[in-house]
Amino acid sequence: MPPKAFSDDTPLLAFDTSAAHCAAALLLHGKIIAEAREEMAKGQAERLMPLIEEMLVKARLTWRDLGAIAVGVGPGNFTGIRISVAAARGLALGLGVPAVGVTGPEALAQYGEGAICVATPSSRGALYLQEFDGGSPSTEMREAHPDVAGFWPEPKRQLIGDWPETDRTVLRPDPIARVRAIAIIGATRAAQNPSPPAPFYLRAADAAPPSDPPPVILDPLS
């Protein structure tokens, strides 16, 4: 059964655990009506749903009041992204509402105008970079290290996000600002018959499969 159509007369829930935090927000009629944030390097799987429940109670809402779900899909922490995306898809299925995904660079780009370049953390000191012009992406997302030639964008571009220290001006939205942007973008996408959210990965997880061969299963009847 397809989810019911989203209307901005119903609250939209947005949340994100793609980095070392749990962050959530509620959007209604285009305005943020509640938000919550907790810093944590691990434990998001256990804390995400209670944090959302507490936020709903403070806003005097229930799960059944929600009209759509928006979730941060990365790139970022592999485990955190999987936690959020699985939660969003499960909630959408249980509530019969649409769910949408928003990338980290898309959320950051909401805070700039004109020519901008956004940065989000990767691993081993690298960053994910993407350029936007007039609010729309103008390049594919790429991974780069600050020590590599060509890392820094041209001076005309405003820098937003998790850039290294530099003498250039950098706008650094915090996790609450980012989840607000996820909510705003999500409200537009939820009204457009969206596909379910999926994790956005540019690289494989650092964990590698075991090198030992799998055990052989013996058939006792053979």
Side-chain angles (χ1 to χ4, degrees):
M1 182 177 179
K4 60 186 177 184
F6 172 65
S7 165
D8 64 4
D9 290 329
T10 56
L12 176 142
L13 167 66
F15 52 87
D16 178 57
T17 60
S18 62
H21 60 253
C22 274
L26 288 166
L27 182 81
L28 181 63
H29 299 305
K31 296 182 179 180
I32 300 295
I33 61 170
E35 55 193 29
R37 164 192 173 183
E38 291 184 12
E39 299 294 325
M40 57 184 66
K42 58 183 180 179
Q44 289 97 331
E46 295 78 19
R47 184 61 187 136
L48 177 61
M49 301 308 283
L51 180 140
I52 295 172
E53 175 83 30
E54 293 162 9
M55 184 179 64
L56 287 169
V57 170
K58 290 181 181 179
R60 298 183 179 181
L61 295 171
T62 70
W63 295 102
R64 287 292 171 186
D65 293 319
L66 298 176
I69 310 292
V71 63
V73 296
N77 178 275
F78 282 82
T79 300
I81 294 168
R82 288 195 298 269
I83 289 167
S84 275
V85 170
R89 292 177 70 119
L91 284 171
L93 182 62
L95 299 174
V97 300
V100 298
V102 179
T103 69
E106 288 174 329
L108 287 170
Q110 292 293 298
Y111 292 96
E113 295 181 356
I116 65 176
C117 189
V118 300
T120 59
S122 180
S123 61
R124 303 183 183 90
L127 293 168
Y128 294 116
L129 309 179
Q130 189 169 21
E131 295 181 359
F132 291 76
D133 287 285
S136 299
S138 53
T139 64
E140 296 293 326
M141 202 181 305
R142 64 187 177 96
E143 184 181 35
H145 195 280
D147 295 336
V148 175
F151 171 81
W152 293 97
E154 54 194 353
K156 74 173 185 178
R157 291 196 174 272
Q158 180 186 9
L159 304 182
I160 302 177
D162 303 288
W163 293 93
E165 290 302 318
T166 174
D167 56 2
R168 294 173 62 174
T169 300
V170 179
L171 181 62
R172 303 181 187 275
D174 65 13
I176 278 293
R178 300 182 197 207
V179 81
R180 289 173 186 158
I182 290 171
I184 292 168
I185 297 171
T188 299
R189 291 184 177 169
Q192 299 172 347
N193 192 27
S195 300
F200 186 96
Y201 299 140
L202 281 186
R203 62 196 303 273
D206 291 333
S211 58
D212 295 335
V216 176
I217 306 300
L218 299 178
D219 184 351
L221 299 181
S222 61

